[in-house]
Amino acid sequence: MTDLLLDVQGLETRFKTREGYVHAVNGVSLQVHERETLGIVGESGCGKSVTMMSLLRLIPSPPGEVFAGKAFYRNNDLLKISDDELRRMRGADLSMIFQDPMTSFNPVLTIGAQVTEPLVIHHNISKVDAFERAVEMLILVGIPNARERMNSYPHQFSGGMRQRVMIAMALICSPKLLIADEPTTALDVTIQAQIIDLTKRLQDEMGMAMIWITHDLGIIAGLADRVLVMYAGFVVEEAAVDELYENPQHPYTIGLLGSLPRVDDDNRRRLASIEGLPPVLMEKPHFCPFLNRCPYAVKHCRRENPSLLQVGPGHRAACWVDPNTRNERA
């Protein structure tokens, strides 16, 4: 196994509202190794993006608060280091592609000014050299007429082109870890495929690790090495990507995979749906958060929220019941 790059332990984030605290992230732990791709999946609102924003300390405070946990990047706790130290790492060692590039760019600055900014800040090079490097990156990510487009504004690019520019800006300082927060959500299928292929190619060329956040398990299947499944702010399953798809061990994962169309399914089965709604997390549940939607629930699920249990080599699931036998795990 390659060297450990990121080690998150027991991360908890909450938001203060008029009704009380919403517990958005509840004890998330994860690890990322060099050159590895970790996929994080789950429905909207499960805490995927908040987890990553918490690590980079981008949660608006108030109302947000990271009130527990550790997040070690190369032995530096991202939650404890000074703001200046973190600024030196963000964009240089740790970089992020956000969900919506239109709202992530400054609309009154040219693309060139925004793509070159990380280089000027982190590497202290001249604006002329930064300009040339930015042109190279725009060419690398497939922007036609890159030199001329440096003087364009974000609204003059299509959605797919804006996302390519966002990738160029995120990678221009050659980070060791790239966090991609649903970067293809707003794009059509063909552009999605192009962006994914581009990101994989650049990852191989630059030798970086990647965290890919999505609600689309179809994307993760061909992209990730390992997968975390999140629900209601908890990690409910963790496994190598092939193991997860072949042998899901949490009812929520089974439900997600059942809702995914498959080209190798000759039975023309109906796609499954998960009945009910996620819990409102005004209080951290002392029972399994998936209880009211789970077809496998037993009495133990109502009494105690399971921690991640070892169910196979490198495979853990937070469930008291073995879904294959419907018996409680020993």
Side-chain angles (χ1 to χ4, degrees), residues 20-286:
Y21 283 103
V22 174
H23 296 265
V25 178
N26 299 302
V28 167
S29 297
L30 60 89
Q31 293 184 330
V32 182
H33 294 82
E34 290 184 350
R35 296 178 175 267
E36 180 184 35
T37 299
L38 176 68
I40 301 181
V41 301
E43 61 195 53
S44 296
C46 71
K48 307 183 299 295
S49 298
V50 174
T51 297
M52 294 301 111
M53 298 285 276
S54 299
L55 298 182
L56 298 179
R57 282 164 44 186
L58 296 176
I59 296 292
S61 178
E65 178 190 7
V66 180
F67 70 97
K70 299 177 181 178
F72 293 101
Y73 173 79
R74 295 194 184 280
N75 298 320
N76 294 306
D77 190 345
L78 300 175
L79 304 181
K80 296 290 191 299
I81 60 177
S82 68
D83 291 342
D84 287 341
E85 289 177 296
L86 186 61
R87 286 192 198 98
R88 285 194 290 269
M89 296 174 69
R90 284 194 306 230
D93 298 301
L94 306 161
S95 200
M96 189 165 183
I97 304 172
F98 296 94
Q99 286 189 35
D100 184 0
M102 191 63 220
T103 57
S104 301
F105 284 116
N106 188 324
V108 300
L109 294 180
T110 64
I111 288 298
Q114 298 183 66
V115 175
T116 57
E117 184 180 35
L119 276 177
V120 174
I121 291 174
H122 293 294
H123 293 291
N124 195 29
I125 66 175
S126 70
K127 290 187 177 181
V128 173
D129 290 340
F131 184 93
E132 293 302 322
R133 173 61 178 154
V135 171
E136 292 175 6
M137 282 301 301
L138 291 185
I139 293 172
L140 190 62
V141 299
I143 300 294
N145 304 315
R147 187 172 295 276
E148 292 75 19
R149 297 310 299 271
M150 286 283 284
N151 295 316
S152 299
Y153 290 87
H155 72 272
Q156 295 174 300
F157 288 77
S158 68
M161 289 295 107
R162 281 196 298 267
Q163 198 59 280
R164 289 173 184 267
V165 175
M166 176 66 71
I167 292 172
M169 188 163 66
L171 298 183
I172 198 164
C173 291
S174 301
K176 290 298 183 183
L177 175 62
L178 176 68
I179 300 170
D181 186 5
E182 303 200 42
T184 61
T185 297
L187 307 177
D188 63 59
V189 175
T190 54
I191 301 300
Q192 279 190 23
Q194 292 173 13
I195 295 297
I196 292 168
D197 289 343
L198 169 65
T199 309
K200 289 173 64 177
R201 176 170 59 82
L202 293 175
Q203 180 187 20
D204 291 339
E205 291 178 3
M206 303 176 74
M208 63 185 175
M210 185 162 61
I211 298 175
W212 191 285
I213 303 169
T214 184
H215 58 265
D216 188 340
L217 279 89
I219 290 176
I220 287 296
L223 185 65
D225 300 306
R226 289 187 302 116
V227 184
L228 295 184
V229 181
M230 288 190 65
Y231 183 79
F234 296 89
V235 175
V236 296
E237 188 160 6
E238 175 185 5
V241 62
D242 291 340
E243 170 70 10
L244 187 88
Y245 282 74
E246 293 173 5
N247 186 30
Q249 289 292 303
H250 193 282
Y252 180 60
T253 310
I254 294 171
L256 290 178
L257 292 172
S259 66
L260 187 68
R262 297 183 55 146
V263 296
D264 60 348
D265 188 353
D266 297 328
N267 297 324
R268 297 184 180 182
R269 61 181 176 83
R270 291 178 64 88
L271 297 180
S273 61
I274 302 176
E275 300 295 332
L277 296 170
V280 178
L281 295 173
M282 300 306 294
E283 295 183 6
K284 286 180 63 176
H286 63 275

